[in-house]
Amino acid sequence: MMSSQVSQASYRGRFAPSPTGLLHAGSLTTAVGSYLEARVRGGEWLLRMEDLDPPREVAGAASAILQTLEALGFEWDGEVVYQSRRHELYRAALEQLIRAGLAYGCACTRKEIAAQARRGVDGFVYPGTCRNGCPPGRSGRAWRLRVPPGETVFVDRLQGEYRQDLERDIGDFVLLRADGFWAYQLAVVVDDAAQGVTDIVRGADLLVSTPRQIAVQRALGVATPSYCHLPLMVNAAGEKLSKQTLAPAIAPAAAAVELRRALIRLGQVSPPECGSLAELWSWARDNWSLERVPAGPVAV
Ligand code: GLU
């Protein structure tokens, strides 16, 4: 079982950006919240590059993200971990799930699913076509997790109780994609468990994914960390800041201004106005309060 080798720090947090673009106000704010919560709790803070999806990645983004974080004064513990170098771990986890009868091969194409499925809370709900075996003459292209019946419930430190019926709202979801790439939902759970992460502080866009991750944790027999989903950062049109909505990249030269803005977005009251970067971090560590962080979307 995966769980046996993991040593548990009392608090171990992490930031896990995908190098699909540069750091912007949304991802920077998440990094600041996750970092301060870890440091104020006396914990460790790891950095993991989620470079699992080469078709969506932007050349040079991983190193640019690291340089920006460094210029902003973040100090992470240990080496940066790259998911692209951890395929063996994901393979071992998938094999464990297959042996336990919890994962199965699926022959369906996107087109077939789109033709039969209804929409759930995050795209189409897989209709379970291959749950009891692929149709005659077809073989599995992707691997899916057999989701448990009933509601998956957890209490988020900021968003409160969150429940989802995985069978009804999501369906059996993909662990290994038909194109051969590992799915985020599997890799994130395997890595958080392998790295002994106890506390996940990340953006609220991932709230909808958390029940899937809890289902993978239970299927693998690893612990469920504590979750805290920070408010979504949105633009004037109410859209999530992202490369797709053309959020501007953070300029390392404006580090102190950017850090101060992130603190304000996180509801922290009056960070010093003309402090240096070091003064701002020191203020932030002394004054950080998760209770002040708003749960709802913040307009940037
Ligand atoms: N790599 C994911 C993203 O950038 C975040 C994963 C996580 O924090 O669980 O959206």
Side-chain angles (χ1 to χ4, degrees), residues 14 16-18 50 184 188 202 206:
R14 50 56 160 193
S18 302
E50 301 211 318
Y184 157 67
V188 73
R202 61 183 180 188
L206 295 168

Side-chain angles (χ1 to χ4, degrees), residues 79-97:
E79 297 284 314
V80 178
V81 160
Y82 290 83
Q83 288 193 323
S84 56
R85 301 176 194 164
R86 295 165 70 84
H87 291 194
E88 287 311 309
L89 278 176
Y90 312 139
R91 166 72 52 197
L94 177 61
E95 280 168 6
Q96 181 184 330
L97 295 173

Side-chain angles (χ1 to χ4, degrees), residues 148-282:
E151 283 194 322
T152 301
V153 186
F154 72 99
V155 179
D156 185 272
R157 290 181 63 208
L158 192 59
Q159 309 294 333
E161 186 179 90
Y162 188 79
R163 33 179 83 230
Q164 198 178 69
D165 183 324
L166 283 165
E167 256 184 342
R168 186 193 63 205
D169 300 334
I170 298 285
D172 293 343
F173 57 90
V174 170
L175 303 169
L176 176 61
R177 288 159 34 176
D179 59 11
F181 294 118
W182 293 101
Y184 157 67
Q185 307 292 359
L186 176 70
V188 73
V189 168
V190 169
D191 284 335
D192 284 331
Q195 295 186 279
V197 170
T198 60
D199 288 77
I200 295 180
V201 179
R202 61 183 180 188
D205 53 320
L206 295 168
L207 197 53
V208 73
S209 286
T210 306
R212 269 171 278 184
Q213 293 168 21
I214 292 173
V216 175
Q217 287 152 4
R218 291 179 180 163
L220 287 171
V222 299
T224 292
S226 141
Y227 286 99
C228 174
H229 287 86
L230 298 174
L232 209 60
M233 300 291 133
V234 297
N235 63 19
E239 301 160 329
K240 180 197 163 206
L241 292 192
S242 67
K243 200 182 61 171
Q244 287 73 30
T245 56
L246 305 176
I250 294 295
V257 173
E258 294 291 2
L259 173 58
R260 186 167 184 279
R261 284 188 185 145
L263 290 166
I264 290 170
R265 289 182 201 118
L266 289 167
Q268 307 303 297
V269 182
S270 343
E273 251 174 71
C274 38
S276 67
L277 196 53
E279 279 162 350
L280 267 171
W281 276 121
S282 143

